[in-house]
Amino acid sequence: MSIVRLVYISQPTDQFQADDIEKILVSAQANNRAKFVTGMLVFNSNLFLQVLEGGPEQVNGIFSKIFKDPRHRKVQLVNYGPIKKRLFADWSMGYCGDVERIRKQLLKYSQSDSFVNPHQMSPDALLDFLASLRYGSKAPNQLPLAG
Ligand code: FAD
């Protein structure tokens, strides 16, 4: 059974509200787990960066829903291809929104500490950056859920 990894970036729209991150993560946790899709979402107020790993049909299906979501725009595929093993195997959708942590890790892998243009990073560097955020970030079951 082959597995793939998909990485994309996008920008929040005006429709995106502060509590949407929790809603998105709740949906992602349920939907991704049901399809054995794992990954991580990074958000720093002007950019989303997300990695999805799993079976090609499952990853493509989830991504096509995400792609149409009006809460973000300019969805750009950064990396897509087969992988031997998952980097986020234990997370249906991990989350990092810690701007200071993002800034510090970003400086290790890119020319500056501002998360403006991830295209300035090679796909490998972007993946290393995502993996570095994995430690110290939140697993879905640690999220403060609304209500
Ligand atoms: P629904 O019952 O349709 O909705 C689930 C929740 O999302 C509800 O709380 C609902 O109010 C809220 N919601 C849905 N659409 C909107 C909207 N347009 N405006 C405001 N609230 C809305 N989904 C995944 O399954 N996996 C992911 O990894 C994932 N990552 C995402 C990353 C980003 C950056 C964004 C913007 C969205 C992501 N989503 C993800 C959400 C996805 O786009 C769909 O909203 C979701 O898959 C719908 O799930 P559902 O049909 O089970 O739930």
Side-chain angles (χ1 to χ4, degrees), residues 8-132:
Y8 76 85
I9 55 167
S10 64
Q11 293 174 9
T13 60
D14 290 347
Q15 284 195 45
F16 178 79
Q17 306 292 319
D19 63 349
D20 273 323
I21 277 291
E22 281 173 29
K23 289 184 187 170
I24 287 168
L25 290 167
V26 169
S27 293
Q29 185 180 3
N31 297 338
N32 299 7
R33 183 172 290 147
K35 295 189 181 320
F36 300 102
V37 168
T38 53
M40 182 172 181
L41 177 66
V42 177
F43 175 60
N44 86 331
S45 82
N46 60 4
L47 209 70
F48 292 111
L49 169 63
Q50 189 174 25
V51 54
L52 298 166
E53 300 172 335
E57 208 177 299
Q58 289 74 20
V59 167
N60 298 353
I62 285 175
F63 182 61
S64 66
K65 270 208 293 189
I66 295 174
F67 188 83
K68 291 182 218 144
D69 195 309
R71 291 171 288 184
H72 65 164
R73 66 192 181 108
K74 294 193 175 176
V75 181
Q76 294 176 63
L77 202 59
V78 176
N79 198 2
Y80 182 89
I83 51 170
K84 282 189 185 151
K85 70 174 188 183
R86 300 174 193 239
L87 273 174
F88 304 90
D90 46 353
W91 284 4
S92 53
M93 189 47 59
Y95 174 65
C96 181
D98 179 343
V99 175
E100 187 55 22
R101 182 168 175 76
I102 291 170
R103 196 188 66 74
K104 276 191 189 149
Q105 292 302 322
L106 201 56
L107 202 52
K108 293 184 189 165
Y109 300 100
S110 80
Q111 295 167 9
S112 81
D113 66 355
S114 70
F115 196 17
V116 180
N117 184 4
H119 289 302
Q120 285 171 344
M121 294 162 75
S122 71
D124 279 353
L126 199 54
L127 205 58
D128 285 348
F129 165 65
L130 277 164
S132 76

